[in-house]
Amino acid sequence: MLNLSTTYANLNLKTPIIVGSAGITGSIELLQRAEECGAGAVVTKSLFQKEISRKSPTPRFKIVKHTNTFTFYTYEQASELNPQEYAEFIFNAKQKLSIPVIASINCYTDDAWIEYSKLMEEAGADAIELNLSCPHGVHIMSGMNIIEEMVHTTKIVKNNVKIPVIPKMTPQSANPGSDALRLEQAGADGLVMFNRFTGLDIDIEKEIPILHGGYAGHGGPWAIMYGLRWISAVSPKLKCSISASGGVMNGEDAIKYILSGASAVQIVTTVFLNGYEVIKQINKYLEQYLDRKGYRTINDFKGKVCDKILDMESVDRRHWGVASINKDKCIGCGKCFNVCIYDAIKNDKEKFMIKENCDGCGLCIEVCPVNAISMVEKERN
Ligand SMILES: Cc1cc2nc3c(=O)[nH]c(=O)nc-3n(C[C@H](O)[C@H](O)[C@H](O)COP(=O)(O)O)c2cc1C
């Protein structure tokens, strides 16, 4: 029988797919929808100590299109609830849901961290996610030393509650690898890698920042490679488990994160844009992957890519191949000719040919719109 269950931060999840903290986890009804569609756990929309953050501006979403990808650029602020109301929300969520409910909080004083964490524990939260990394939160925006703050906070919260404590890391750090190790030493039971970056986009006609007029959180499908890079580097060194967060749009993305060593995978942008049904699709894709690969559990392939990542010394640097153009397929568009910095493509009245000096860089293959170019071994050209 296929089994998608996983253990994350000492919690047993029936699937690794967690709906991450955002407006999509801001009410009991939405949490229930996530559970009905098959989420393994939910992280509730963050409670902020900073009261001004409890009110979001209108509008607060912008989809900024780039070539072949997009940025989900948003200024959705904290939960509108105060700490008491939030504790009630967590209590009610626990009555209605059978999956783990992880409470997300963001404070800037030690007293509040302790008070809010205890409140969440008493309300029945299964774990606490520490959201110091909010891209428009007080820690990032005031330029605090975020890793020192996170280590300090992890220690004090850990000393005051018994439920698992999970710092949510910022990608805006010089070395997330060493940050992760320090947070584990500070007592983290799990890590979320990562929150989003802080960005800015500009309307060049009005010469003003877009959306609400300030900096905002930006992420999107493009963010996944950053998470894969750091999770794969650090997961073999950690005892505590990792929940990936950033850029997961579908089942394939979730599998990449598990192969890089994540025990669970959070999704937010894809739920906003594709609805809660996407959880079902991702779970189904995971099951099909296990079946196709002959795996019985998530652990069978978790972290499998880590020891296949080459270091600089091990990279094969032989120039073994050159490009070859299939004349029958070539449509004479000249894109290969335009990108070749080696002057290795001959343009003979819009018939393109590879010359002797091809360096085998492979860029012409990437830009050819009709797959007319391939890499062949040097002697076969
Ligand atoms: C509109 C929006 C609101 C968010 N609000 C929160 C929040 O309150 N607390 C938090 O820890 N992360 C918040 N996040 C970050 C997400 O939980 C998640 O880490 C991030 O979006 C990356 O995942 P994704 O690429 O699947 O969207 C928010 C993200 C979005 C897009």
Side-chain angles (χ1 to χ4, degrees):
M1 248 263 300
L2 293 177
N3 175 5
L4 294 188
S5 68
T6 186
T7 307
Y8 163 61
N10 308 325
L11 304 172
N12 295 320
L13 275 48
K14 62 179 190 211
T15 153
I17 305 307
I18 298 176
V19 179
S21 176
I24 50 170
T25 57
S27 73
I28 302 289
E29 292 69 33
L30 295 176
L31 295 177
Q32 283 179 305
R33 215 184 288 175
E35 175 167 25
E36 279 157 22
C37 288
V42 284
V43 187
T44 50
K45 173 70 189 164
S46 292
L47 163 67
F48 273 51
Q49 179 185 0
K50 199 168 177 62
E51 284 186 35
I52 193 171
S53 297
R54 295 182 195 157
K55 195 100 200 137
S56 297
T58 301
R60 51 188 162 275
F61 296 111
K62 191 91 195 158
I63 295 176
V64 182
K65 299 220 166 93
H66 316 290
T67 313
N68 298 331
T69 186
F70 67 91
T71 282
F72 194 38
Y73 187 65
T74 75
Y75 199 65
E76 183 194 87
Q77 300 277 274
S79 165
E80 295 191 0
L81 305 177
N82 67 36
Q84 286 304 334
E85 292 165 338
Y86 198 86
E88 266 172 53
F89 165 53
I90 296 293
F91 178 82
N92 290 332
K94 281 303 297 172
Q95 305 306 305
K96 294 269 163 63
L97 274 74
S98 60
I99 55 174
V101 175
I102 302 171
S104 168
I105 53 177
N106 179 321
C107 303
Y108 54 88
T109 62
D110 290 359
D111 288 350
W113 276 116
I114 295 167
E115 182 197 332
Y116 287 26
S117 311
K118 285 182 165 173
L119 260 177
M120 295 313 127
E121 183 173 47
E122 283 160 21
D126 292 284
I128 298 177
E129 206 176 90
L130 311 177
N131 174 22
L132 283 81
S133 50
C134 174
H136 31 79
V138 68
H139 303 85
I140 295 273
M141 293 310 281
S142 62
M144 279 184 198
N145 186 330
I146 190 88
I147 179 61
E148 297 308 329
E149 289 290 322
M150 287 196 97
V151 167
H152 171 72
T153 305
T154 303
K155 282 182 188 161
I156 57 166
V157 175
K158 194 64 197 159
N159 281 338
N160 281 280
V161 295
K162 293 194 179 60
I163 53 177
V165 175
I166 309 168
K168 183 169 187 176
M169 294 172 58
T170 176
Q172 297 170 180
S173 160
N175 192 342
S178 68
D179 295 352
L181 296 169
R182 287 190 63 194
L183 290 166
E184 178 177 65
Q185 272 171 12
D189 298 284
L191 294 173
V192 181
M193 294 173 77
F194 293 96
N195 211 320
R196 305 194 301 161
F197 292 88
T198 312
L200 173 72
D201 198 8
I202 298 169
D203 180 325
I204 62 163
E205 294 310 320
K206 294 185 187 149
E207 300 175 353
I208 53 167
I210 66 161
L211 199 60
H212 62 295
Y215 297 123
H218 78 122
W222 51 265
I224 189 170
M225 287 187 179
Y226 184 83
L228 290 171
R229 181 257 182 272
W230 282 109
I231 293 174
S232 64
V234 88
S235 61
K237 299 179 187 156
L238 289 173
K239 286 188 198 68
C240 75
S241 46
I242 299 171
S243 168
S245 169
V248 175
M249 299 304 288
N250 52 39
E252 196 180 325
D253 295 337
I255 289 166
K256 287 182 186 177
Y257 268 134
I258 297 167
L259 283 167
S260 80
S263 299
V265 179
Q266 299 197 4
I267 51 172
V268 170
T269 296
T270 193
V271 180
F272 267 111
L273 300 181
N274 301 313
Y276 294 79
E277 293 286 315
V278 77
I279 308 166
K280 286 187 191 164
Q281 290 158 20
I282 296 177
N283 280 333
K284 190 165 172 209
Y285 195 92
L286 275 172
E287 282 178 346
Q288 287 167 345
Y289 182 78
L290 262 74
D291 192 29
R292 182 157 55 82
K293 293 285 204 170
Y295 295 136
R296 280 183 305 117
T297 67
I298 295 292
N299 275 340
D300 289 348
F301 65 101
K302 190 174 98 183
K304 225 179 156 186
V305 86
C306 299
D307 60 7
K308 296 182 193 151
I309 298 169
L310 301 178
D311 58 25
M312 275 177 54
E313 283 69 30
S314 316
V315 171
D316 181 354
R317 292 166 198 267
R318 287 171 302 142
H319 284 202
W320 57 269
V322 286
S324 169
I325 300 179
N326 179 334
K327 293 183 187 64
D328 296 334
K329 281 192 180 174
C330 175
I331 54 169
C333 70
K335 286 195 170 144
C336 55
F337 180 79
N338 290 341
V339 299
C340 184
I341 58 169
Y342 298 97
D343 187 27
I345 295 179
K346 189 173 158 196
N347 181 359
D348 184 8
K349 294 186 196 125
E350 289 177 10
K351 284 203 168 64
F352 294 93
M353 277 160 284
I354 306 289
K355 298 198 296 196
E356 287 281 285
N357 51 330
C358 173
D359 198 60
C361 77
L363 184 55
C364 55
I365 299 172
E366 293 302 307
V367 299
C368 177
V370 291
N371 293 327
I373 314 179
S374 57
M375 187 76 85
V376 295
E377 281 180 36
K378 264 186 180 163
E379 51 271 25
R380 277 178 41 212
N381 191 30

PDB file of all heavy atoms in Angstrom, residues 355-381:
ATOM      1  N   LYS A 355      30.279  25.696 -37.225  1.00  0.00           N
ATOM      2  CA  LYS A 355      31.661  25.725 -37.717  1.00  0.00           C
ATOM      3  C   LYS A 355      32.578  24.934 -36.790  1.00  0.00           C
ATOM      4  O   LYS A 355      32.185  24.520 -35.700  1.00  0.00           O
ATOM      5  CB  LYS A 355      32.141  27.181 -37.800  1.00  0.00           C
ATOM      6  CG  LYS A 355      31.309  28.005 -38.779  1.00  0.00           C
ATOM      7  CD  LYS A 355      32.000  29.292 -39.198  1.00  0.00           C
ATOM      8  CE  LYS A 355      32.220  30.263 -38.069  1.00  0.00           C
ATOM      9  NZ  LYS A 355      32.536  31.616 -38.444  1.00  0.00           N
ATOM     10  N   GLU A 356      33.814  24.782 -37.224  1.00  0.00           N
ATOM     11  CA  GLU A 356      34.846  24.019 -36.492  1.00  0.00           C
ATOM     12  C   GLU A 356      35.030  24.472 -35.038  1.00  0.00           C
ATOM     13  O   GLU A 356      35.273  23.675 -34.159  1.00  0.00           O
ATOM     14  CB  GLU A 356      36.207  24.230 -37.189  1.00  0.00           C
ATOM     15  CG  GLU A 356      36.341  23.516 -38.505  1.00  0.00           C
ATOM     16  CD  GLU A 356      36.647  22.061 -38.297  1.00  0.00           C
ATOM     17  OE1 GLU A 356      37.791  21.750 -37.955  1.00  0.00           O
ATOM     18  OE2 GLU A 356      35.711  21.241 -38.458  1.00  0.00           O
ATOM     19  N   ASN A 357      34.902  25.819 -34.847  1.00  0.00           N
ATOM     20  CA  ASN A 357      35.259  26.371 -33.535  1.00  0.00           C
ATOM     21  C   ASN A 357      34.135  26.315 -32.499  1.00  0.00           C
ATOM     22  O   ASN A 357      34.163  27.027 -31.508  1.00  0.00           O
ATOM     23  CB  ASN A 357      35.751  27.814 -33.687  1.00  0.00           C
ATOM     24  CG  ASN A 357      34.791  28.656 -34.485  1.00  0.00           C
ATOM     25  OD1 ASN A 357      34.093  28.145 -35.357  1.00  0.00           O
ATOM     26  ND2 ASN A 357      34.741  29.928 -34.185  1.00  0.00           N
ATOM     27  N   CYS A 358      33.125  25.470 -32.735  1.00  0.00           N
ATOM     28  CA  CYS A 358      32.054  25.334 -31.718  1.00  0.00           C
ATOM     29  C   CYS A 358      32.680  24.891 -30.396  1.00  0.00           C
ATOM     30  O   CYS A 358      33.485  23.963 -30.354  1.00  0.00           O
ATOM     31  CB  CYS A 358      31.017  24.307 -32.180  1.00  0.00           C
ATOM     32  SG  CYS A 358      29.797  23.950 -30.895  1.00  0.00           S
ATOM     33  N   ASP A 359      32.269  25.581 -29.331  1.00  0.00           N
ATOM     34  CA  ASP A 359      32.850  25.318 -28.009  1.00  0.00           C
ATOM     35  C   ASP A 359      32.010  24.334 -27.191  1.00  0.00           C
ATOM     36  O   ASP A 359      32.382  23.954 -26.091  1.00  0.00           O
ATOM     37  CB  ASP A 359      32.949  26.651 -27.250  1.00  0.00           C
ATOM     38  CG  ASP A 359      33.910  26.577 -26.097  1.00  0.00           C
ATOM     39  OD1 ASP A 359      35.094  26.303 -26.331  1.00  0.00           O
ATOM     40  OD2 ASP A 359      33.457  26.745 -24.953  1.00  0.00           O
ATOM     41  N   GLY A 360      30.856  23.970 -27.729  1.00  0.00           N
ATOM     42  CA  GLY A 360      30.003  23.013 -27.008  1.00  0.00           C
ATOM     43  C   GLY A 360      29.301  23.607 -25.810  1.00  0.00           C
ATOM     44  O   GLY A 360      28.939  22.888 -24.882  1.00  0.00           O
ATOM     45  N   CYS A 361      29.069  24.920 -25.821  1.00  0.00           N
ATOM     46  CA  CYS A 361      28.444  25.549 -24.634  1.00  0.00           C
ATOM     47  C   CYS A 361      26.971  25.173 -24.492  1.00  0.00           C
ATOM     48  O   CYS A 361      26.420  25.190 -23.397  1.00  0.00           O
ATOM     49  CB  CYS A 361      28.612  27.065 -24.666  1.00  0.00           C
ATOM     50  SG  CYS A 361      27.483  27.896 -25.804  1.00  0.00           S
ATOM     51  N   GLY A 362      26.301  24.886 -25.603  1.00  0.00           N
ATOM     52  CA  GLY A 362      24.921  24.388 -25.541  1.00  0.00           C
ATOM     53  C   GLY A 362      23.846  25.456 -25.572  1.00  0.00           C
ATOM     54  O   GLY A 362      22.665  25.128 -25.529  1.00  0.00           O
ATOM     55  N   LEU A 363      24.226  26.755 -25.673  1.00  0.00           N
ATOM     56  CA  LEU A 363      23.184  27.787 -25.613  1.00  0.00           C
ATOM     57  C   LEU A 363      22.295  27.778 -26.858  1.00  0.00           C
ATOM     58  O   LEU A 363      21.087  27.993 -26.777  1.00  0.00           O
ATOM     59  CB  LEU A 363      23.831  29.170 -25.409  1.00  0.00           C
ATOM     60  CG  LEU A 363      22.868  30.332 -25.225  1.00  0.00           C
ATOM     61  CD1 LEU A 363      21.882  30.078 -24.083  1.00  0.00           C
ATOM     62  CD2 LEU A 363      23.621  31.637 -24.980  1.00  0.00           C
ATOM     63  N   CYS A 364      22.887  27.499 -28.033  1.00  0.00           N
ATOM     64  CA  CYS A 364      22.078  27.472 -29.264  1.00  0.00           C
ATOM     65  C   CYS A 364      20.985  26.405 -29.155  1.00  0.00           C
ATOM     66  O   CYS A 364      19.861  26.595 -29.645  1.00  0.00           O
ATOM     67  CB  CYS A 364      22.961  27.227 -30.482  1.00  0.00           C
ATOM     68  SG  CYS A 364      23.981  25.743 -30.368  1.00  0.00           S
ATOM     69  N   ILE A 365      21.294  25.296 -28.475  1.00  0.00           N
ATOM     70  CA  ILE A 365      20.299  24.218 -28.308  1.00  0.00           C
ATOM     71  C   ILE A 365      19.127  24.745 -27.481  1.00  0.00           C
ATOM     72  O   ILE A 365      17.967  24.476 -27.777  1.00  0.00           O
ATOM     73  CB  ILE A 365      20.953  23.007 -27.594  1.00  0.00           C
ATOM     74  CG1 ILE A 365      22.104  22.473 -28.441  1.00  0.00           C
ATOM     75  CG2 ILE A 365      19.930  21.919 -27.292  1.00  0.00           C
ATOM     76  CD1 ILE A 365      22.954  21.413 -27.757  1.00  0.00           C
ATOM     77  N   GLU A 366      19.459  25.529 -26.456  1.00  0.00           N
ATOM     78  CA  GLU A 366      18.423  26.056 -25.560  1.00  0.00           C
ATOM     79  C   GLU A 366      17.498  27.047 -26.258  1.00  0.00           C
ATOM     80  O   GLU A 366      16.308  27.102 -25.949  1.00  0.00           O
ATOM     81  CB  GLU A 366      19.074  26.737 -24.347  1.00  0.00           C
ATOM     82  CG  GLU A 366      19.799  25.777 -23.418  1.00  0.00           C
ATOM     83  CD  GLU A 366      18.892  24.690 -22.869  1.00  0.00           C
ATOM     84  OE1 GLU A 366      17.844  25.042 -22.312  1.00  0.00           O
ATOM     85  OE2 GLU A 366      19.228  23.506 -23.026  1.00  0.00           O
ATOM     86  N   VAL A 367      18.045  27.863 -27.197  1.00  0.00           N
ATOM     87  CA  VAL A 367      17.201  28.911 -27.794  1.00  0.00           C
ATOM     88  C   VAL A 367      16.490  28.454 -29.071  1.00  0.00           C
ATOM     89  O   VAL A 367      15.577  29.133 -29.544  1.00  0.00           O
ATOM     90  CB  VAL A 367      17.999  30.218 -28.098  1.00  0.00           C
ATOM     91  CG1 VAL A 367      18.560  30.796 -26.810  1.00  0.00           C
ATOM     92  CG2 VAL A 367      19.089  30.001 -29.131  1.00  0.00           C
ATOM     93  N   CYS A 368      16.878  27.324 -29.625  1.00  0.00           N
ATOM     94  CA  CYS A 368      16.243  26.870 -30.872  1.00  0.00           C
ATOM     95  C   CYS A 368      14.752  26.566 -30.623  1.00  0.00           C
ATOM     96  O   CYS A 368      14.421  25.727 -29.790  1.00  0.00           O
ATOM     97  CB  CYS A 368      16.946  25.623 -31.397  1.00  0.00           C
ATOM     98  SG  CYS A 368      16.131  24.993 -32.881  1.00  0.00           S
ATOM     99  N   PRO A 369      13.846  27.240 -31.346  1.00  0.00           N
ATOM    100  CA  PRO A 369      12.412  27.043 -31.057  1.00  0.00           C
ATOM    101  C   PRO A 369      11.859  25.731 -31.600  1.00  0.00           C
ATOM    102  O   PRO A 369      10.742  25.352 -31.269  1.00  0.00           O
ATOM    103  CB  PRO A 369      11.756  28.238 -31.763  1.00  0.00           C
ATOM    104  CG  PRO A 369      12.698  28.632 -32.839  1.00  0.00           C
ATOM    105  CD  PRO A 369      14.079  28.265 -32.391  1.00  0.00           C
ATOM    106  N   VAL A 370      12.619  25.029 -32.460  1.00  0.00           N
ATOM    107  CA  VAL A 370      12.062  23.806 -33.071  1.00  0.00           C
ATOM    108  C   VAL A 370      12.921  22.572 -32.772  1.00  0.00           C
ATOM    109  O   VAL A 370      12.819  21.552 -33.472  1.00  0.00           O
ATOM    110  CB  VAL A 370      11.897  23.980 -34.602  1.00  0.00           C
ATOM    111  CG1 VAL A 370      10.797  24.980 -34.907  1.00  0.00           C
ATOM    112  CG2 VAL A 370      13.213  24.397 -35.267  1.00  0.00           C
ATOM    113  N   ASN A 371      13.763  22.657 -31.761  1.00  0.00           N
ATOM    114  CA  ASN A 371      14.618  21.516 -31.355  1.00  0.00           C
ATOM    115  C   ASN A 371      15.421  20.943 -32.522  1.00  0.00           C
ATOM    116  O   ASN A 371      15.520  19.729 -32.693  1.00  0.00           O
ATOM    117  CB  ASN A 371      13.779  20.388 -30.739  1.00  0.00           C
ATOM    118  CG  ASN A 371      13.174  20.814 -29.435  1.00  0.00           C
ATOM    119  OD1 ASN A 371      13.773  21.596 -28.700  1.00  0.00           O
ATOM    120  ND2 ASN A 371      11.976  20.340 -29.158  1.00  0.00           N
ATOM    121  N   ALA A 372      15.950  21.848 -33.360  1.00  0.00           N
ATOM    122  CA  ALA A 372      16.705  21.376 -34.522  1.00  0.00           C
ATOM    123  C   ALA A 372      18.186  21.168 -34.195  1.00  0.00           C
ATOM    124  O   ALA A 372      18.942  20.682 -35.035  1.00  0.00           O
ATOM    125  CB  ALA A 372      16.572  22.380 -35.665  1.00  0.00           C
ATOM    126  N   ILE A 373      18.610  21.561 -32.990  1.00  0.00           N
ATOM    127  CA  ILE A 373      20.037  21.462 -32.659  1.00  0.00           C
ATOM    128  C   ILE A 373      20.219  20.487 -31.501  1.00  0.00           C
ATOM    129  O   ILE A 373      19.428  20.475 -30.559  1.00  0.00           O
ATOM    130  CB  ILE A 373      20.619  22.845 -32.264  1.00  0.00           C
ATOM    131  CG1 ILE A 373      20.159  23.930 -33.253  1.00  0.00           C
ATOM    132  CG2 ILE A 373      22.148  22.796 -32.217  1.00  0.00           C
ATOM    133  CD1 ILE A 373      20.648  25.334 -32.943  1.00  0.00           C
ATOM    134  N   SER A 374      21.237  19.678 -31.613  1.00  0.00           N
ATOM    135  CA  SER A 374      21.534  18.752 -30.509  1.00  0.00           C
ATOM    136  C   SER A 374      23.041  18.713 -30.276  1.00  0.00           C
ATOM    137  O   SER A 374      23.820  19.190 -31.105  1.00  0.00           O
ATOM    138  CB  SER A 374      20.997  17.350 -30.822  1.00  0.00           C
ATOM    139  OG  SER A 374      21.555  16.918 -32.044  1.00  0.00           O
ATOM    140  N   MET A 375      23.423  18.146 -29.147  1.00  0.00           N
ATOM    141  CA  MET A 375      24.850  18.022 -28.815  1.00  0.00           C
ATOM    142  C   MET A 375      25.321  16.637 -29.268  1.00  0.00           C
ATOM    143  O   MET A 375      24.681  15.642 -28.943  1.00  0.00           O
ATOM    144  CB  MET A 375      25.016  18.177 -27.310  1.00  0.00           C
ATOM    145  CG  MET A 375      26.442  18.242 -26.823  1.00  0.00           C
ATOM    146  SD  MET A 375      27.186  19.837 -27.163  1.00  0.00           S
ATOM    147  CE  MET A 375      26.642  20.761 -25.771  1.00  0.00           C
ATOM    148  N   VAL A 376      26.398  16.624 -30.012  1.00  0.00           N
ATOM    149  CA  VAL A 376      26.940  15.316 -30.437  1.00  0.00           C
ATOM    150  C   VAL A 376      28.400  15.233 -30.016  1.00  0.00           C
ATOM    151  O   VAL A 376      29.066  16.263 -29.818  1.00  0.00           O
ATOM    152  CB  VAL A 376      26.829  15.125 -31.971  1.00  0.00           C
ATOM    153  CG1 VAL A 376      25.368  15.074 -32.402  1.00  0.00           C
ATOM    154  CG2 VAL A 376      27.584  16.209 -32.716  1.00  0.00           C
ATOM    155  N   GLU A 377      28.897  14.041 -29.884  1.00  0.00           N
ATOM    156  CA  GLU A 377      30.312  13.892 -29.527  1.00  0.00           C
ATOM    157  C   GLU A 377      31.169  14.455 -30.657  1.00  0.00           C
ATOM    158  O   GLU A 377      30.811  14.332 -31.829  1.00  0.00           O
ATOM    159  CB  GLU A 377      30.624  12.421 -29.286  1.00  0.00           C
ATOM    160  CG  GLU A 377      30.155  11.985 -27.920  1.00  0.00           C
ATOM    161  CD  GLU A 377      30.454  10.527 -27.655  1.00  0.00           C
ATOM    162  OE1 GLU A 377      31.505  10.054 -28.111  1.00  0.00           O
ATOM    163  OE2 GLU A 377      29.605   9.901 -27.006  1.00  0.00           O
ATOM    164  N   LYS A 378      32.304  15.041 -30.296  1.00  0.00           N
ATOM    165  CA  LYS A 378      33.111  15.794 -31.254  1.00  0.00           C
ATOM    166  C   LYS A 378      33.398  15.018 -32.537  1.00  0.00           C
ATOM    167  O   LYS A 378      33.168  15.511 -33.627  1.00  0.00           O
ATOM    168  CB  LYS A 378      34.426  16.209 -30.603  1.00  0.00           C
ATOM    169  CG  LYS A 378      34.367  17.604 -30.067  1.00  0.00           C
ATOM    170  CD  LYS A 378      35.695  18.051 -29.552  1.00  0.00           C
ATOM    171  CE  LYS A 378      35.556  19.479 -29.029  1.00  0.00           C
ATOM    172  NZ  LYS A 378      36.639  19.861 -28.180  1.00  0.00           N
ATOM    173  N   GLU A 379      33.831  13.799 -32.400  1.00  0.00           N
ATOM    174  CA  GLU A 379      34.249  13.044 -33.586  1.00  0.00           C
ATOM    175  C   GLU A 379      33.097  12.713 -34.516  1.00  0.00           C
ATOM    176  O   GLU A 379      33.261  12.548 -35.705  1.00  0.00           O
ATOM    177  CB  GLU A 379      35.038  11.774 -33.187  1.00  0.00           C
ATOM    178  CG  GLU A 379      34.384  10.908 -32.178  1.00  0.00           C
ATOM    179  CD  GLU A 379      34.761  11.332 -30.759  1.00  0.00           C
ATOM    180  OE1 GLU A 379      35.112  12.515 -30.535  1.00  0.00           O
ATOM    181  OE2 GLU A 379      34.702  10.482 -29.878  1.00  0.00           O
ATOM    182  N   ARG A 380      31.848  12.683 -33.927  1.00  0.00           N
ATOM    183  CA  ARG A 380      30.694  12.331 -34.760  1.00  0.00           C
ATOM    184  C   ARG A 380      30.154  13.507 -35.565  1.00  0.00           C
ATOM    185  O   ARG A 380      29.303  13.351 -36.413  1.00  0.00           O
ATOM    186  CB  ARG A 380      29.557  11.767 -33.875  1.00  0.00           C
ATOM    187  CG  ARG A 380      29.742  10.287 -33.583  1.00  0.00           C
ATOM    188  CD  ARG A 380      28.647   9.776 -32.667  1.00  0.00           C
ATOM    189  NE  ARG A 380      27.327  10.311 -32.984  1.00  0.00           N
ATOM    190  CZ  ARG A 380      26.374  10.549 -32.098  1.00  0.00           C
ATOM    191  NH1 ARG A 380      26.617  10.311 -30.819  1.00  0.00           N
ATOM    192  NH2 ARG A 380      25.202  11.015 -32.463  1.00  0.00           N
ATOM    193  N   ASN A 381      30.626  14.714 -35.285  1.00  0.00           N
ATOM    194  CA  ASN A 381      30.062  15.891 -35.969  1.00  0.00           C
ATOM    195  C   ASN A 381      30.452  15.930 -37.439  1.00  0.00           C
ATOM    196  O   ASN A 381      31.591  15.775 -37.778  1.00  0.00           O
ATOM    197  CB  ASN A 381      30.542  17.159 -35.268  1.00  0.00           C
ATOM    198  CG  ASN A 381      29.778  18.358 -35.760  1.00  0.00           C
ATOM    199  OD1 ASN A 381      28.617  18.240 -36.147  1.00  0.00           O
ATOM    200  ND2 ASN A 381      30.429  19.501 -35.744  1.00  0.00           N
TER     201      ASN A 381
END
